[in-house]
Amino acid sequence: MAGKIFVKDLIKKYGDNTVLKGISTTIKDGEVVCIIGPSGSGKSTFLRCLNQLEEVNSGTIVIDDFDITDSQTDINQVRENIGMVFQHFNLFPHLTVRENITLAPQDLKGLTKSEANALADKLLDMVGLLDKAEVYPNSLSGGQKQRVAIARALAMKPNIMLFDEPTSALDPEMVGDVLNVMKKLAENGMTMVIVTHEMGFAKEVADRVIFTDGGEIVEEGTPEQVFNHPQHERTRSFLNKVL
Ligand code: ADP
Ligand code: MG
């Protein structure tokens, strides 16, 4: 599998509240897309639709060659290919750091314990936390927890990584370490969709920035286009508040 995402006319409602009002976009294999926009504009809902944590009301989502809005598609197979990292880490508190990472590859990919341990240690080394393999999550800082969460997602060898405000719950001094890990992933060609308020990161790392407001894509383009030459008043007014 590669790491392509095709979205057409996506509509998502909660009751009478239409939260996504016809989203269309295509994300290429290896592309890094940052989604910015005000709170409540549907950013999290969009990410959750991409891996079917939410059922859509209408529209099409094709991940690689799998139409995930088609009930015939084996969604679990597609999901294994998509890693997700949330604002609040969601690590298993009763498992060590290494066990957090080895659980899914053993259960879902049939790795032996020693294969899974070797993989976990390689990923922990990559996120700079090999010395924390034996500890429990509650002894880690927020930034360390988030790097473990990223390693855990990577252990399934996904081709696509979704990030929902991965640094929003962190103390400022922790943010850089997490962003650096994400930057490394981007440089290694991972397809990434990142909801973030880190405008500096988006400017530096994104291939494309999508600005959403009120459940719509208001505008999208390169960081240069969106940050330096926004075309829409709504984009300008948002950027004035956050930059
Ligand atoms: P964002 O991530 O951009 O802040 P969300 O996707 O979380 O926005 O939310 C978009 C809108 O959908 C908000 O009005 C929110 O209240 C509503 N919403 C989100 N999740 C649910 C849910 N599970 N049930 C009902 N409404 C929801
Ligand atoms: Mg959100």
Side-chain angles (χ1 to χ4, degrees):
M1 279 204 235
K4 300 189 298 282
I5 304 171
F6 171 84
V7 181
K8 180 98 175 102
D9 300 329
L10 172 59
I11 292 182
K12 171 65 188 174
K13 303 177 186 186
Y14 293 111
D16 292 338
N17 184 10
T18 306
V19 175
L20 299 177
K21 298 175 183 165
I23 302 276
S24 298
T25 193
T26 302
I27 295 167
K28 290 183 291 213
D29 185 19
E31 195 175 13
V32 177
V33 174
C34 284
I35 302 180
I36 62 170
S39 178
S41 60
K43 305 180 299 297
S44 295
T45 304
F46 177 65
L47 285 193
R48 293 166 60 82
C49 287
L50 292 184
N51 67 355
Q52 290 286 77
L53 289 174
E54 298 285 353
E55 212 168 305
V56 310
N57 292 80
S58 66
T60 307
I61 301 174
V62 182
I63 308 276
D64 293 324
D65 295 322
F66 296 91
D67 181 347
I68 65 169
T69 41
D70 177 348
S71 58
Q72 303 292 309
T73 301
D74 176 3
I75 186 64
N76 287 323
Q77 196 192 338
V78 182
R79 249 191 217 135
E80 281 184 16
N81 195 40
I82 306 177
M84 182 134 182
V85 173
F86 303 89
Q87 186 173 347
H88 296 287
F89 339 115
N90 304 342
L91 296 175
F92 305 115
H94 60 293
L95 299 179
T96 65
V97 163
R98 186 187 281 121
E99 288 164 350
N100 263 276
I101 297 171
T102 58
L103 187 67
Q106 290 182 92
D107 282 1
L108 301 172
K109 293 226 148 156
L111 266 64
T112 64
K113 192 168 180 188
S114 72
E115 286 167 342
N117 282 341
L119 173 62
D121 288 1
K122 196 178 107 194
L123 291 168
L124 282 171
D125 192 33
M126 201 270 278
V127 302
L129 291 171
L130 189 50
D131 58 327
K132 301 290 185 189
E134 314 281 346
V135 311
Y136 287 85
N138 66 11
S139 71
L140 300 177
S141 72
Q144 292 171 331
K145 283 180 192 160
Q146 193 59 298
R147 285 184 280 150
V148 173
I150 293 171
R152 182 176 62 174
L154 292 173
M156 291 299 287
K157 300 203 189 294
N159 292 319
I160 297 170
M161 286 284 285
L162 309 178
F163 293 86
D164 193 357
E165 300 195 28
T167 59
S168 294
L170 303 180
D171 292 332
E173 73 270 23
M174 312 278 176
V175 169
D177 289 339
V178 172
L179 294 180
N180 282 336
V181 168
M182 293 167 64
K183 217 166 112 182
K184 211 183 303 182
L185 283 180
E187 283 162 3
N188 289 337
M190 179 69 76
T191 306
M192 296 165 76
V193 186
I194 305 162
V195 174
T196 187
H197 296 295
E198 295 291 336
M199 300 299 155
F201 174 83
K203 268 185 195 165
E204 188 187 340
V205 179
D207 296 305
R208 183 152 50 107
V209 174
I210 295 179
F211 171 68
T212 60
D213 191 14
E216 297 170 322
I217 294 180
V218 175
E219 72 178 281
E220 57 182 308
T222 62
E224 160 74 13
Q225 286 167 335
V226 174
F227 289 117
N228 298 350
H229 308 285
Q231 298 299 303
H232 292 264
E233 183 48 39
R234 281 198 279 175
T235 317
R236 284 194 282 271
S237 125
F238 174 76
L239 291 173
N240 278 336
K241 280 182 217 145
V242 298
L243 287 179

